[in-house]
Amino acid sequence: MNEAVLVIEDEPKIARLLELELQYEGYQVGKAGSGTEGLEMYGEGQWDLILLDIMLPGLSGIEVLRRIRAKDATVPILMLTAKDSVEDKVSGLDLGANDYITKPFRIEELLARVRAALRLSAASAATHSATSVPRDTAQSSEHTAENETGWLTAGGLKLNEGTREISRDGQSIELTPREFDLLVYLLQNQRQVLSRDQIVQAVWGYDYYGDTNVVDVYIRYVRKKVDNGFTPPLIHTVRGVGYVLKEQV
């Protein structure tokens, strides 16, 4: 079945353009002209991706994003905005948006970002399905989860790729899907200095067309959850190069 995309956009011409282009590419498309209508349509359907304008009548795009993420941490959400300010971009990313596209945009770029987001979402779902341990098997096993494969560790930090459990010094940590993928990549490459380009390609995919500054934003998110309040810090900045995860500076 073709992927379903929900377009929440109050400008009729832009909404119609997106609808036609997405349908031409083979997607099923739903349209909403306000934040309230968009939230209702989200709740009534099964959507593989959401294109969400920030400036909407009724509920703002940021509020719609916040409410969706309170229920669903996995559906890819791409923000559309006429503003090019860092504040707008960071607000959306802070609340769990996967990407942002500034108006006016080239339809080729938007479609490429849609494809990339859907591909990453499908890959993440497939990985989770393939590595998850059935509940009855896990309960009957003599081994604890810590002895199963799929754990990545550094200092007091522990992450299980299959169950998506994360903790540090015994304290549970909650990450968004993108934050989780970033931390997995850092843990898989411990003590290696990774450039922003390397991180973007590994976490966002080769088709990502946004700024590599998004890496700095997400590194900050992960640091707040993984390093703040813990000793020693694990994620370090290598000025002029990128980032490295290791136990000691």
Side-chain angles (χ1 to χ4, degrees), residues 50-180:
I50 299 172
L51 289 174
L52 176 60
D53 188 27
I54 287 183
M55 302 297 290
L56 291 169
L59 295 175
S60 70
I62 293 296
E63 179 61 19
V64 173
L65 171 65
R66 186 188 69 78
R67 295 191 187 189
I68 291 176
R69 280 291 177 249
K71 299 179 179 179
D72 188 341
T74 60
V75 62
I77 301 177
L78 278 59
M79 303 297 292
L80 303 175
T81 174
K83 298 181 179 180
D84 195 22
S85 69
V86 173
E87 290 78 9
D88 289 316
K89 295 173 182 177
V90 170
S91 293
L93 292 171
D94 276 340
L95 288 171
N98 298 79
D99 200 355
Y100 58 84
I101 302 171
T102 304
K103 301 175 184 177
F105 51 80
R106 296 184 61 183
I107 193 64
E108 294 85 358
E109 178 184 354
L110 182 141
L111 292 173
R113 295 197 189 194
V114 166
R115 290 193 296 269
L118 287 170
R119 184 165 57 253
L120 286 170
S121 178
S124 178
T127 299
H128 179 63
S129 176
T131 57
S132 294
V133 179
R135 183 175 296 274
D136 56 349
T137 301
Q139 290 177 340
S140 63
S141 174
E142 295 180 357
H143 300 287
T144 65
E146 291 183 30
N147 293 324
E148 301 292 342
T149 60
W151 286 92
L152 297 170
T153 62
L157 177 66
K158 297 164 55 179
L159 179 151
N160 189 292
E161 293 185 77
T163 64
R164 302 183 80 84
E165 296 174 78
I166 312 162
S167 65
R168 185 164 184 189
D169 296 341
Q171 296 184 38
S172 179
I173 296 172
E174 296 292 331
L175 298 180
T176 67
R178 188 76 71 186
E179 291 167 355
F180 182 87

Side-chain angles (χ1 to χ4, degrees), residues 31-44:
K31 286 193 305 179
S34 70
T36 303
E37 183 186 4
L39 199 58
E40 291 175 353
M41 289 187 65
Y42 160 76
E44 295 170 354

